[in-house]
Structures are given as structure tokens and as C-alpha cells.
Amino acid sequence: MYLKRDEVLKRGKVGLVVKGCDARAVTGLIQESQVARERLVLIGMACDGVGEPLLDMCKHCDVHTPAGPGADAHRLACDYVSGKATVADAKPEDEGWLDDVRKIEALMPPERWAFWQEKLSRCIRCYACRQVCPLCYCKRCLVEKNEPQWISSSAHEAGNFAWNIIRAMHLAGRCIGCGACERACPQDIPLTLLNKKMAESVARHFKYRAGYDPTAAPAVKAFDKADENDFFR
Amino acid sequence: MEHKEQKDQVSAQRVWQPKVIAFVCNWCTYAGADLAGTSRIKYDANIRVIRLPCTGRIDPLFVIKAFEQGADGVLVSGCHPGDCHYNTGNYHARRRWTLFRELLEFVGIDLRRVQFAWVSAAEGAKWAEVVNEMVQHVRELGPFEGYHVMLARSGRDAWLEKAAAGGGNGSGKGVAGGTPAVQKAE
Amino acid sequence: MATIITAGNLTRLAGELMKAGCRVIAPAKLDGMVVFKAITDEHEMLPEGEYILPHSSFKEFVFPRTECILRYRLGEQGKVSYEATNLDAEPAQAAIGCRPCDAASLPILDKVFGWDYRDEFYFKRREKLTVVSIACSRAGERCYCTSVGCAPDSKAGSDILLKKTAGDKYVVEALSDKGRQLAEKHASLFEKAEGEPPVEVVDLKPAFDVEKIKPWLDTHFEDPLWLDMAARCMGCGTCAYGCPTCHCFDIVDEGDLRGGCRLKNWDTCAAVLFTKHGSGHNPRTSQEQRYRQRVMHKFKYYLEKFGLRACVGCGRCSNRCPVGQDLYAVLKTIAERAAK
């Protein structure tokens, strides 16, 4: 997020130390033309996972060691890579990262509604989720546009519902699952659940995972004529 | 006793009518709806049509906004794949809707309240069918209580209550009209 | 002779108040967090030993995150009718088990809400609030109340102050009429003890000399330190919304052709749009300027205008900050610079 700050831009070329997951965020920014690869010197760091206890996302990480020089064109190659992770990358068939999403899906719709009503009602609209998100880079967020006011800026339930749903939608196919939003949330709202659900939908329907291939078009920017059409009458 | 209950039910049904908002594209579905009209095809009057240039212009936010205005259901309709006036607008829209409906389902919204259709300019009859079916679904589901409760808790009941109870003519008639005197706040 | 209340009777007090129709605000669990909550069962209230400081302050109960201040309706021929929100029917409320730092925020808020214009929405809720605080016998990692002139057993803002003594009991000190009335009304829950029982209050040493802060701020509006300190700030509102003394708000109208509400919402000086003018001009364009404003407001402007610092040293801003921005460390740095 700091990459787009005026103070940072002023200083020219930026050296950036990245873990595998951070490299995914940078990949996303390159894909969406938010930062030019030439402006960055990427120093990749192997990572066995962070957090005590280990963060859930780290347990299912498949980019423990960032790609280095000479990686194929469909991976973001760091200029330098330090070390090699001692833990194995998660296999593509590992769906453990979806466990908590599945738990919600197993609920009846009214229970799901009640669950989210309670969680989202806590939101105080501090926008920490947005500010720390590496892919939320708009200079002026939709919620700050008031002609018309599309999303109510008030922290009441209707406003919170609209904000959180639209936030998740705007990150669909873009969220790299770093979980910064949820960690930043002072109200303990399980925001990554929404993002993971979207990541799961994107993977299932469009065979796309965000933040891997700097040359790919983001899922919602692209389309395929053969995309699913069953739900249309 | 039974008779009274029946009467109550009848009056309750009279009071509530589903309010369904349809976001349609200008080139196909809107023309299709027009054709339904000129062909004198009758269909449920619970639908309010909002015309946009293309399904690609129909932001998921519009659906949320419609619910915020007291809608019980939302219909989105446009040109068949391949027929988009702007070539690819509906393909983009399709991707978005694929994701958005799963998101809504995930937060507990019954997907019979949010439906999608491709209706061409020649499909006046299909338009009537789609609308009737949609309204039928929403009628079965009843008012969107969950959202209405949420709105009420957000202080929006004040001007929604009458619109919802009165069949939602949306014109604002009868809402807050009873108190012509301007009160001075502190 | 000292007055004593047992922990069990404190819970009973919450129960009795609730029965009498009072809204009881107490530290309670919400998922993994301890927060101030309007409890519905007295056993939701956590025993004092299980928390140091609730995650959020209780300012929400005098200054809600969002509140409708008036409703308007559009009638026939464009006639507008409107009514102001009437808070007279709001129930009495009691905050039980809050900390002296939270209580101390109330006299600070009183100043700004009652200065050139009396904010009825704040004061109606405030007048209905009785504060029963418990002095801290432990301090959190980021507690620095003593460094900013507050204390773990500070009396400011409390109607009743409890201090822990042996055997899960608290020594009661009624500090205001409201507090004395409450104690009299529920006299059966209180007992008398001989002499002055020893109380447990944490000894928290000040980490810096707060008197040095303002003189430094007076002369360092422009200083490279601001950029250093603010460089990591993300510009979210987490610190301000958790802060017991932050009081900025935004007024918005929500409605349509039929009518609507005018709402008073929390706002934060960290946000880019906070100072944006209608003309498009924004006097605070960088995060550095915005962060400076936050510190200046709390430790210079507020002090000059109202004679109080707008900080009670609860450390919530530091606890909650997603990027580890630590006001305590910032103040310490400033105090050290000033001492040089």
C-alpha cells in the first residue's frame, strides 16, 4: 500500500523485501497497472509461515519461496531470493483453507443471514480493512463518493451490510488472501471469510487464482464465451 | 373465528404486494418488454423496470440499493450472449453476476430474490413469463423481512413503512403527507 | 469506617439496576474480545480480574458511532415536516466495571460538547449515565495513564470508584451525588468495614515528562520528525474510533424523495477527506499533516482551549493500530527531544 504514496513515489525506484504472499500482492498491482515492475527491486525472502500460532493462511501457503531470476514468465520473478523454505508448499488439491467457509455454507440461509447480521453490525466504518489491503488502491473509494451516495457512510446495519458486501465484491478475483483486513479489523469481523468465498467461486468457475501470473488478466476483467450460463433464464 | 382468520389473511395479502425491481438493458430486454406491451401481453404489475445501456453497466451495487429502497426481489436482464450491442458487455456482466449471486447466497440471501435472464427484443412473451415467474417466487417468499428489519434498525423505517404497507407505489404519495405543518426543530 | 462491596454483590447490583429498567454497560465477551456491552444478564459482566481494559471505550454510549438526530418527510406540495430525535425516553444507564481512564474521558468530552454549543445528544445520554469504575490493580502492556497525568485510581469522571482489597472485595468511594444516590438506593448490597482496608492499586511509573510535550509542539509545527512518525500511518480511523476522547463527527443526510434522516457519525482526522473543502481544496494533503494534527489536537490545542489534554493514556490507539503506530512511543520521543 505504501507503494502508491506520494512520499514514496517521489523517491524513485523502490526496493521491496517480499515474502511469497507479498509477491502475490505485487503481482496483482502489476496486473492492474498500478505499479511498473521496472520501478521495483524485489528482494524475495523464503518464509516458513508467520504468527504464533501459525496463521491459518500460512498453513495452506503454496508460495513459501518466492520465484527468483529465471522463473517462467507466468510468475513474478524477484531480483534476488534469499534462502529456501523448509516447509513444503501446499498442494493444489489442499482445500483446508476453505474449512471455515464450508462451515458457513453448511448453515441454513436464515442462520447465515443471522451470522452475518451479527458480525457486520459490529463494523464501525474505520476502514482499516480498506487501508491495509494491498489491492485497495483507489485514490477515492466508492464509499467516499457522495454524488450520489452509493454506500451509506453511517455505521448502521444497512450501511455496514452494503459496505462489506461491496468491499468483498470489489476484491473478487483480486484478493490474494493475505488476511490483513481481518487482522486489522478492531471489531473482529471475519472479513477473510467473504474474500475466501469469492476466491473459491473464482477458482471454481473461472479456474483463476489471484496474484500468481503477472501476465494474466484479472478474473473479473476477462471473460470466456463458454462461462457458466445456467443461472440465466 | 376461522372466518375472521381468513379475513385477516385476505386483508394481509391485500396490503402486501411484492415489489420487484428489474434492471434491464436498453437494447434487448427493454425492447422485449416494449414488445410485450404492444402485443398486449398481460403480466404482473409488481415489477418496476429500470433501463440501463447494457447489463455491463448494472453494478452489483444497484441490487443492494434496490433492497435498501425496500425491494423484495431484483431481476437483471439483458441481451443473450453474443447479441450485446457493445459486443461484450453481457459477458463481463455474466462473470460478475456469477460471483455476486454466490456472495449473496453466502450471506444468507435466498437466490429466488435475485434472478437473471436473457431476454431479446423479440421475446416479449418470454419477458412476461420471466416476470410472472419471478413475482410468483417473491410472493411465495413474502416480504424481504430480513432486509426490512435491518433498514428499520438503521433508522430508515420512517419513510419506508408506508411505502411497504401500501403496496409500494413508489410515488411517495401518502408518505409523510399527513403533517403539513412544518415543525421547528430545536 | 470504609464502605465495602463484594464482587458477588457488584454483579447483583448490575442485576438490580437492570430490573429497575437501567441500561447496564459492562465489560463482557464478544467472541475473543472483551468489550463494553449493554448486557442483558448480569452474569455477562466479566469479573474484574479477567480483563485489564476492554477493547473499545464506552464513549459509544454517550456518543454513538451513528445516530439519527432528526427525521424529515416530504409531504404534499413540497412541504417538509421534520422532528428532532427526542432522547428523553432513553433509559438511565450505568457503566459498571470500567477503568478510571475511561471515566476520565467524560470530563474531557464534556468540555468540547458543551463549549460554544451544548450538544444535547451527548449531554442527555451523559446525564443519564452513572459511572462505577474499578481502580486498576494491574497495568496492560501499553497503559501509560500516569505519563499523561491520569492515574490508575484517578477520580475524574467516576461517580463511584472501587478499589480492590483482600477477599474479592472492593472499597467503595462515592464521589458524586449520582454515586451516593446509587449507593443509598442499593444500600443492602454494601457493607461497612472497620478502619481503612489496604487497597491494591498498580504502581505505574510515568515514562516521560508530559509537561515537556506542549512546549515542544509549540515550536515544532514543521519538523522532520512528523514524517518519520507518520510514514507508516495508513490513514484509517481505528485509533480515533477506539479513543475514549476523540469526538469528531460528520453530519450526513440519508434519504430520498420521500424523506430521510440526518445522522451524526464518527469521523476521524486521519482520513483524507476529513478536511476536504467544498471548493476541492484540502489543507491537509499528506498523512504527515494529518498525524501531526492528531497529536497537536490532543496535546496542544485542547490544552490551550480547555485546560485538559485529550488523552487519558489508555493505550487503545496503540493496541488497535494495524501497523503498530504507537502514540506512547511518539510522545516519549517528543519528550526526549524536548529534554535535549
Side-chain angles (χ1 to χ4, degrees):
Chain A
M1 254 342 279
Y2 297 110
L3 281 179
K4 295 210 64 184
R5 287 264 189 92
D6 289 340
E7 303 96 277
V8 176
L9 288 172
K10 259 190 281 189
R11 298 182 184 192
K13 211 163 180 170
V14 179
L16 198 61
V17 180
V18 291
K19 302 188 293 307
C21 50
D22 304 324
R24 283 182 65 189
V26 176
T27 308
L29 293 173
I30 292 173
Q31 276 177 288
E32 296 176 16
S33 309
Q34 293 306 309
V35 61
R37 177 68 186 84
E38 308 74 64
R39 259 196 57 221
L40 303 172
V41 178
L42 293 172
I43 303 150
M45 299 288 281
C47 168
D48 286 348
V50 294
E52 291 263 352
L54 195 61
L55 294 178
D56 194 53
M57 58 174 246
C58 296
K59 289 182 200 155
H60 307 288
C61 171
D62 61 355
V63 285
H64 286 108
T65 310
D72 76 277
H74 298 290
R75 283 296 288 275
L76 176 67
C78 294
D79 299 288
Y80 311 95
V81 176
S82 160
K84 189 157 175 38
T86 59
V87 289
D89 282 344
K91 301 225 157 54
E93 60 272 19
D94 173 13
E95 288 209 341
W97 62 285
L98 284 170
D99 285 351
D100 46 0
V101 173
R102 300 293 183 221
K103 260 183 227 154
I104 305 296
E105 286 178 333
L107 298 173
M108 296 300 288
E111 294 170 328
R112 287 203 292 268
W113 179 260
F115 173 85
W116 285 110
Q117 288 293 300
E118 194 278 316
K119 300 290 183 202
L120 300 182
S121 70
R122 298 177 190 177
C123 178
I124 52 173
R125 308 299 282 280
C126 66
Y127 304 123
C129 50
R130 177 189 75 191
Q131 298 303 106
V132 299
C133 175
L135 275 310
C136 266
Y137 50 67
C138 292
K139 274 233 156 172
R140 189 163 190 177
C141 177
L142 183 65
V143 73
E144 279 153 359
K145 293 182 180 162
N146 56 6
E147 287 176 6
Q149 184 83 44
W150 277 110
I151 301 174
S152 156
S153 58
S154 311
H156 51 46
E157 292 176 34
N160 291 351
F161 185 81
W163 158 249
N164 285 284
I165 295 299
I166 294 302
R167 190 194 76 86
M169 191 61 205
H170 281 193
L171 285 165
R174 304 173 60 240
C175 168
I176 49 119
C178 68
C181 48
E182 189 168 313
R183 286 194 296 281
C185 179
Q187 300 294 88
D188 256 13
I189 303 171
L191 294 168
T192 52
L193 271 178
L194 294 171
N195 295 132
K196 280 192 214 171
K197 172 65 204 167
M198 286 291 86
E200 184 268 340
S201 293
V202 168
R204 185 158 38 84
H205 292 291
F206 313 130
K207 310 280 173 283
Y208 176 87
R209 291 188 310 150
Y212 287 92
D213 183 352
T215 63
V220 180
K221 192 186 162 200
F223 67 86
D224 185 336
K225 285 185 180 170
D227 279 340
E228 183 184 330
N229 196 47
D230 295 346
F231 65 90
F232 284 90
R233 262 189 51 97
Chain B
M1 189 67 199
E2 206 176 281
H3 179 68
K4 191 186 174 300
E5 270 175 24
Q6 274 178 356
K7 234 174 125 180
D8 283 351
Q9 268 181 4
V10 169
S11 63
Q13 273 169 6
R14 255 194 217 136
V15 171
W16 182 73
Q17 281 290 334
K19 189 181 195 180
V20 179
I21 306 296
F23 293 106
V24 304
C25 94
N26 176 46
W27 303 98
C28 293
T29 305
Y30 193 80
D34 219 11
L35 180 64
T38 50
S39 314
R40 302 266 187 267
I41 302 172
K42 276 194 178 170
Y43 59 90
D44 278 310
N46 303 73
I47 200 116
R48 285 150 188 78
V49 176
I50 297 175
R51 176 170 62 153
L52 289 127
C54 176
T55 36
R57 175 63 188 93
I58 305 170
D59 194 304
L61 198 49
F62 297 177
V63 175
I64 299 283
K65 208 72 185 170
F67 286 135
E68 281 186 3
Q69 297 293 316
D72 302 302
V74 177
L75 174 66
V76 174
S77 181
C79 307
H80 284 269
D83 292 349
C84 180
H85 184 78
Y86 308 99
N87 296 334
T88 58
N90 54 1
Y91 287 125
H92 285 289
R94 187 167 63 181
R95 280 218 160 181
R96 279 205 290 273
W97 297 119
T98 304
L99 301 175
F100 190 58
R101 59 197 292 280
E102 292 197 355
L103 180 60
L104 293 181
E105 195 178 23
F106 190 63
V107 295
I109 293 181
D110 192 312
L111 283 186
R112 283 173 291 176
R113 293 198 188 275
V114 190
Q115 294 187 29
F116 304 87
W118 302 132
V119 173
S120 79
E123 293 175 322
K126 182 179 175 184
W127 168 250
E129 246 173 68
V130 166
V131 170
N132 285 341
E133 210 170 281
M134 169 97 205
V135 171
Q136 186 53 32
H137 280 148
V138 176
R139 211 183 282 280
E140 282 161 14
L141 288 166
F144 195 169
E145 297 277 2
Y147 222 107
H148 295 170
V149 167
M150 187 162 79
L151 291 168
R153 286 205 202 117
S154 308
R156 301 226 184 150
D157 52 337
W159 72 99
L160 271 177
E161 61 199 354
K162 282 196 178 169
N169 58 13
S171 66
K173 260 186 200 161
V175 177
T179 44
V182 174
Q183 295 171 345
K184 193 88 182 144
E186 275 182 62
Chain C
M1 275 263 281
T3 310
I4 300 274
I5 188 166
T6 61
N9 275 352
L10 190 62
T11 310
R12 264 170 227 123
L13 176 66
E16 282 190 12
L17 285 168
M18 272 191 286
K19 241 178 248 154
C22 177
R23 177 191 291 141
V24 174
I25 303 153
K29 280 254 158 114
L30 178 66
D31 291 352
M33 300 185 291
V34 177
V35 296
F36 279 113
K37 207 164 137 185
I39 54 173
T40 50
D41 179 327
E42 65 260 39
H43 297 292
E44 274 186 79
M45 183 165 103
L46 285 180
E48 186 255 343
E50 289 187 21
Y51 63 92
I52 292 176
L53 189 70
H55 185 69
S56 306
S57 81
F58 66 30
K59 78 169 169 191
E60 185 158 0
F61 294 92
V62 283
F63 171 38
R65 59 180 88 160
T66 178
E67 107 179 282
C68 174
I69 56 176
L70 68 84
R71 293 173 186 284
Y72 55 93
R73 289 175 173 199
L74 200 61
E76 304 290 331
Q77 285 143 14
K79 280 201 177 117
V80 179
S81 63
Y82 59 103
E83 54 181 319
T85 303
N86 188 347
L87 290 178
D88 291 339
E90 277 283 296
Q93 42 186 11
I96 300 185
C98 64
R99 296 302 185 184
C101 56
D102 272 324
S105 69
L106 293 169
I108 298 174
L109 291 176
D110 289 348
K111 297 273 184 197
V112 70
F113 282 121
W115 162 57
D116 57 342
Y117 169 84
R118 199 177 147 84
D119 188 315
E120 286 303 327
F121 300 98
Y122 170 80
F123 279 106
K124 284 231 168 102
R125 288 193 166 89
R126 169 81 166 99
E127 278 153 16
K128 285 169 192 275
L129 176 69
T130 309
V131 180
V132 181
S133 54
I134 306 180
C136 302
S137 55
R138 296 175 295 157
E141 221 178 294
R142 292 190 171 101
C143 285
Y144 59 96
C145 56
T146 50
S147 306
V148 290
C150 189
D153 58 349
S154 136
K155 292 178 182 174
S158 296
D159 296 303
I160 292 181
L161 178 64
L162 306 177
K163 288 180 192 163
K164 201 175 171 186
T165 181
D168 237 0
K169 288 180 178 172
Y170 301 95
V171 175
V172 180
E173 209 177 328
L175 299 166
S176 70
D177 289 344
K178 253 194 232 170
R180 280 185 283 274
Q181 275 163 17
L182 184 94
E184 272 166 35
K185 223 176 177 178
H186 302 271
S188 62
L189 297 172
F190 295 86
E191 41 196 86
K192 296 283 173 202
E194 291 299 317
E196 291 294 322
V199 292
E200 286 176 47
V201 176
V202 65
D203 180 25
L204 188 64
K205 295 265 183 294
F208 53 85
D209 181 4
V210 73
E211 300 301 332
K212 294 215 161 61
I213 304 278
K214 191 178 172 291
W216 189 88
L217 294 178
D218 286 341
T219 51
H220 292 79
F221 189 78
E222 303 282 354
D223 194 279
L225 192 62
W226 293 117
L227 180 60
D228 286 354
M229 292 189 292
R232 65 162 77 161
C233 177
M234 286 286 188
C236 71
T238 313
C239 49
Y241 295 175
C243 177
T245 69
C246 271
H247 48 260
C248 289
F249 59 84
D250 185 24
I251 299 281
V252 294
D253 284 348
E254 283 184 3
D256 56 26
L257 293 174
R258 292 167 284 178
C261 281
R262 176 159 296 175
L263 295 133
K264 175 179 160 192
N265 294 339
W266 285 355
D267 205 350
T268 167
C269 56
V272 183
L273 296 185
F274 182 73
T275 45
K276 185 147 183 175
H277 298 177
S279 65
H281 171 65
N282 192 346
R284 291 186 212 133
T285 49
S286 73
Q287 209 56 43
E288 170 192 357
Q289 294 168 326
R290 294 188 280 271
Y291 191 74
R292 176 179 63 201
Q293 164 64 20
R294 185 172 162 77
V295 177
M296 286 278 185
H297 192 190
K298 287 193 173 303
F299 296 93
K300 176 173 152 64
Y301 311 144
Y302 213 86
L303 194 57
E304 283 169 359
K305 200 168 185 84
F306 301 122
L308 288 170
R309 287 179 198 93
C311 176
V312 292
C314 66
R316 284 196 179 91
C317 49
S318 311
N319 278 327
R320 295 158 65 109
C321 181
V323 290
Q325 178 82 297
D326 191 350
L327 184 60
Y328 165 73
V330 166
L331 293 173
K332 216 170 141 183
T333 312
I334 293 177
E336 278 162 14
R337 290 274 176 111
K340 263 179 212 166

